[in-house]
Amino acid sequence: MKRKQGLEINAKIGLDRKDEFMSRLLRVESVMKYYGTKNNVTKAVDDISFTVKQGEFVGIMGASGSGKTTLLNLLGTIDTVSAGHIYLQEKDITELGKKELASFRRENLGFIFQDFQLLDTLTLEENIAFSLAMNHIDTKKIPIRVVEVAKKLGIEDILYKYPYEVSGGQKQRCACARAIITNPNLILADEPTGALDSKSATMLLKTMKQMNDQWDATIIMVTHDAFSASYADRILFLRDGQIFNEIVKGNQTRKQFFDQILDVMSVLGGDMQNVR
Ligand SMILES: Nc1ncnc2c1ncn2[C@@H]1O[C@H](COP(=O)(O)OP(=O)(O)OP(=O)(O)O)[C@@H](O)[C@H]1O
Ligand SMILES: [Mg+2]
C-alpha cells in the first residue's frame, strides 16, 4: 500500500521534481541579515532564497560588500539570521540552540578559510586529526584515516611538519583535508584561494574539484575571482545582499564557463568593479 502511494506521488510530481526533492541538501528560504540600528540599517543579506543539491559545487560571487561572507556565515551557523530559514536535510538550522550548534557544526560542516586557520602548535597531521578526535572517532582509526586523506590531497610527506614550515598552498590543502575528513554534509569555503599564488590556487581548486567529484562533497565557495569560480557547477551572483543572477556550467568546458563568468562580470560593469 505504502509503495503504491509512493508511486502515485511520484507520478504526480514528475520524475525531475522527484529527483530534485530527493537529492536536495540545503534549502535557504527568504533569509535576511540586517546590521545596525533602526535609523542606520545595512541589509547585508536581503531576502535570499536558493537550494543546493547533494554533490553540487556552488560558487558565490559579487562585489566587495555584496554580502557573500555574511551569507556563508549564516549557512555555517557562525552568525544568526534576522529573518528566514535555512534547512539542511530538511532540518531548520536557524532554530538550533546554543548547545546543539557546536555538535551540529562538528558533525555536518567543514570550513575552509582564506587564512587557513590551522593551529600553529600542532603538526599538519594533528591539525587534520583534531576534527576527528572532536567527533569521538575511535583513536586507533584516526591515523589511518588521516594518511588516507592526506595521500589523496598530496600532503602525506609533510604531515609531521608544523604550519610555519610549509607553503601557503600546502597549508590550504591541509585545511581541505581537515574539512573533508569528518565526511561533512556541506563544505563552506570563503575565498580559499585568496592568499595563494596562482599555481597553488590552481592546485587547491583541483583538490576541491576532486573532493567534489570523488567523494561527492557538496561545496559552497565564495570567491572574487572568475578563474576560481569556473571550477564550480553553478554560480550565484550577489548584489546589495540579493541574488541577481545565476549561471550554470552544464555541459560547457571549464574554459567556456570561465568566459561566461567574465561576460556576466563585464555586463555588470561598475557593480563588479571591486571584483579582482
Ligand atoms: N558585523 C557587522 N556589522 C555591521 N555591518 C556588517 C558586519 N558584517 C558585515 N557588515 C556589512 O554587511 C555588508 C556585507 O558584508 P560582507 O562581509 O558579507 O561582504 P562581502 O561580499 O563578503 O565582501 P568582501 O568581498 O569584501 O569580503 C557590508 O556592507 C558590510 O559592511
Ligand atoms: Mg567577504
Side-chain angles (χ1 to χ4, degrees):
M1 182 62 193
K2 256 191 182 160
R3 185 173 148 73
K4 186 157 176 275
Q5 273 176 354
L7 286 175
E8 273 167 14
I9 291 167
N10 289 347
K12 262 190 205 145
I13 62 177
L15 262 186
D16 285 353
R17 285 226 19 229
K18 181 191 139 211
D19 176 55
E20 189 180 308
F21 179 74
M22 285 179 74
S23 59
R24 190 170 60 202
L25 177 76
L26 179 76
R27 181 157 55 99
V28 177
E29 235 179 56
S30 309
V31 162
M32 321 230 189
K33 180 67 186 183
Y34 295 164
Y35 289 114
T37 55
K38 235 185 181 179
N39 298 327
N40 185 18
V41 180
T42 303
K43 295 179 175 178
V45 168
D46 185 15
D47 196 8
I48 282 185
S49 300
F50 63 96
T51 60
V52 175
K53 287 185 191 176
Q54 165 66 43
E56 257 196 304
F57 187 166
V58 177
I60 296 179
M61 296 191 81
S64 181
S66 59
K68 304 181 297 295
T69 296
T70 307
L71 176 61
L72 208 71
N73 288 346
L74 296 174
L75 301 179
T77 66
I78 290 169
D79 211 342
T80 53
V81 301
S82 304
H85 297 274
I86 301 169
Y87 301 90
L88 189 76
Q89 289 180 326
E90 302 305 322
K91 184 180 173 67
D92 189 348
I93 64 174
T94 62
E95 311 244 292
L96 292 173
K98 258 193 183 156
K99 274 189 184 164
E100 298 162 293
L101 273 178
S103 60
F104 169 80
R105 272 183 222 134
R106 234 174 24 231
E107 286 159 20
N108 291 282
L109 305 176
F111 294 93
I112 305 171
F113 301 96
Q114 179 171 356
D115 59 357
F116 323 124
Q117 300 214 3
L118 299 175
L119 298 169
D120 293 335
T121 53
L122 301 183
T123 64
L124 299 195
E125 180 171 24
E126 289 161 346
N127 264 286
I128 300 167
F130 190 62
S131 51
L132 276 184
M134 296 279 288
N135 271 351
H136 313 296
I137 305 290
D138 178 357
T139 45
K140 280 186 218 130
K141 290 187 182 149
I142 291 180
I144 302 166
R145 176 91 177 115
V146 170
V147 169
E148 184 192 352
V149 171
K151 254 188 194 162
K152 283 253 168 77
L153 302 188
I155 51 171
E156 77 270 31
D157 294 337
I158 50 167
L159 279 177
Y160 63 91
K161 291 196 175 187
Y162 287 87
Y164 67 86
E165 295 177 305
V166 303
S167 74
Q170 289 167 331
K171 271 189 258 212
Q172 199 56 309
R173 270 182 285 148
C174 174
C176 281
R178 180 188 55 186
I180 193 87
I181 199 154
T182 55
N183 204 12
N185 278 316
L186 182 62
I187 293 178
L188 300 169
D190 195 356
E191 304 273 6
T193 58
L196 303 181
D197 61 78
S198 66
K199 197 175 151 212
S200 306
T202 304
M203 209 185 267
L204 177 80
L205 290 159
K206 286 185 175 164
T207 301
M208 291 177 67
K209 190 80 194 99
Q210 181 194 346
M211 300 194 316
N212 175 242
D213 285 341
Q214 296 183 9
W215 295 327
D216 203 32
T218 309
I219 303 175
I220 300 183
M221 174 179 74
V222 163
T223 181
H224 269 99
D225 153 57
F227 177 73
S228 298
S230 69
Y231 280 81
D233 303 320
R234 175 161 68 107
I235 298 169
L236 306 175
F237 289 86
L238 299 194
R239 182 173 57 194
D240 299 333
Q242 299 188 318
I243 297 176
F244 73 98
N245 202 347
E246 175 180 353
I247 57 173
V248 178
K249 183 172 174 219
N251 293 325
Q252 299 179 87
T253 63
R254 199 190 54 72
K255 176 73 177 74
Q256 285 166 335
F257 194 39
F258 173 71
D259 290 338
Q260 192 187 0
I261 296 164
L262 289 182
D263 282 348
V264 174
M265 287 167 71
S266 71
V267 168
L268 298 168
D271 264 328
M272 296 289 272
Q273 246 166 28
N274 289 324
V275 175
R276 288 187 284 261

